[in-house]
Amino acid sequence: MSISFFWSRALLTNRFVLWLLFWCNLAGTIYGYMWYGEQMEYTIAHNAIWQVIFVPDSPTASLFFTIGILFLLYPPKSQALKGFSFLMESLAVVTSVKYGIWAVSIIFAGAAQGDHLVWQDWMLVASHLAMAVEALLFVRFFRFGALMLIPAAAWTFLNDIVDYTYGVFPWLPNELQDDLLGVQYFTLGLTVFSVLLAWVFLRLAKRKNI
């Protein structure tokens, strides 16, 4: 059996595998919202309530991907649902790549400046790397086109703007508090990178017809 089987259409679109991914991502989404619980409570108490939507970045990305997998399991019939599924898929790819890379980068940036990593940090590294990888693996199976990257990019940039205008970005390691401007620029640049990478993978999938 070729190693390429492990990222083949035959394996990844198998209904057992799709259901496994659905439940794993759903569990991760729920855990992620619980992880952000304290910051969400703080935001509700100290900021305008609408800003709480922009606090749990990674769990929301995971939620988009979970919905995208559900639409692979049950393809929508109506035009309205098809449009919604395309939006969820584009958001799933862009935000999963963006926040998967972002979280890992921030964890190691904090460690490089003296933050002591514990087992939860390594768990977050593994789970966020998995977010980015699975999103790129599934670009070729999702049905959204390049135009749907526009609303996905708009949402992700809006999230960045709200995060760093109102201070609702994910809490950083103490070692990075004096690097906030650099983190902000990195976050914005990562949004651009994630959108471009999604576009490249879409083009490759279309060219190879896979």
Side-chain angles (χ1 to χ4, degrees):
M1 181 175 60
S2 171
I3 193 173
S4 62
F5 173 74
F6 293 101
W7 56 81
S8 67
R9 177 182 291 271
L11 177 65
L12 294 179
T13 60
N14 177 277
R15 291 188 72 83
F16 174 80
V17 173
L18 289 175
W19 275 117
L20 180 63
L21 286 171
F22 173 83
W23 289 113
C24 287
N25 279 277
L26 181 61
T29 298
I30 294 170
Y31 178 79
Y33 281 117
M34 293 171 61
W35 179 276
Y36 275 94
E38 185 179 350
Q39 185 175 356
M40 292 170 72
E41 291 176 1
Y42 179 89
T43 301
I44 291 171
H46 296 88
N47 295 62
I49 193 168
W50 61 268
Q51 293 170 19
V52 74
I53 298 170
F54 299 93
V55 171
D57 296 333
S58 295
T60 302
S62 178
L63 177 62
F64 292 145
F65 189 82
T66 303
I67 295 171
I69 293 295
L70 188 62
F71 280 123
L72 286 180
L73 286 161
Y74 299 102
K77 304 297 184 183
S78 71
Q79 287 302 117
L81 269 181
K82 284 182 180 179
F84 178 70
S85 71
F86 296 160
L87 177 61
M88 291 295 101
E89 290 168 353
S90 63
L91 284 166
V93 173
V94 171
T95 61
S96 292
V97 171
K98 188 255 181 76
Y99 293 116
I101 296 173
W102 186 92
V104 174
S105 301
I106 292 300
I107 289 170
F108 286 131
Q113 296 195 33
D115 188 26
H116 177 66
L117 299 187
V118 295
W119 71 267
Q120 290 99 329
D121 295 307
W122 293 109
M123 177 270 293
L124 289 172
V125 166
S127 61
H128 282 81
L129 281 177
M131 281 177 58
V133 170
E134 69 181 1
L136 293 176
L137 283 175
F138 274 83
V139 168
R140 55 195 168 131
F141 308 133
F142 287 149
R143 303 172 184 89
F144 73 95
L147 283 177
M148 289 307 297
L149 291 174
I150 297 174
W155 166 263
T156 312
F157 274 120
L158 175 63
N159 201 335
D160 294 342
I161 292 168
V162 173
D163 275 359
Y164 294 95
T165 299
Y166 298 101
V168 295
F169 51 86
W171 286 341
L172 301 171
N174 290 332
E175 289 77 6
L176 296 182
Q177 293 299 327
D178 58 346
D179 297 310
L180 183 56
L181 186 60
V183 171
Q184 179 179 344
Y185 287 145
F186 172 71
T187 302
L188 289 166
L190 197 52
T191 295
V192 176
F193 173 78
S194 300
V195 173
L196 290 176
L197 192 62
W199 179 79
V200 168
F201 270 69
L202 275 178
R203 295 281 294 179
L204 289 174
K206 184 177 180 180
R207 181 175 300 174
K208 295 182 179 180
N209 194 28
I210 55 177

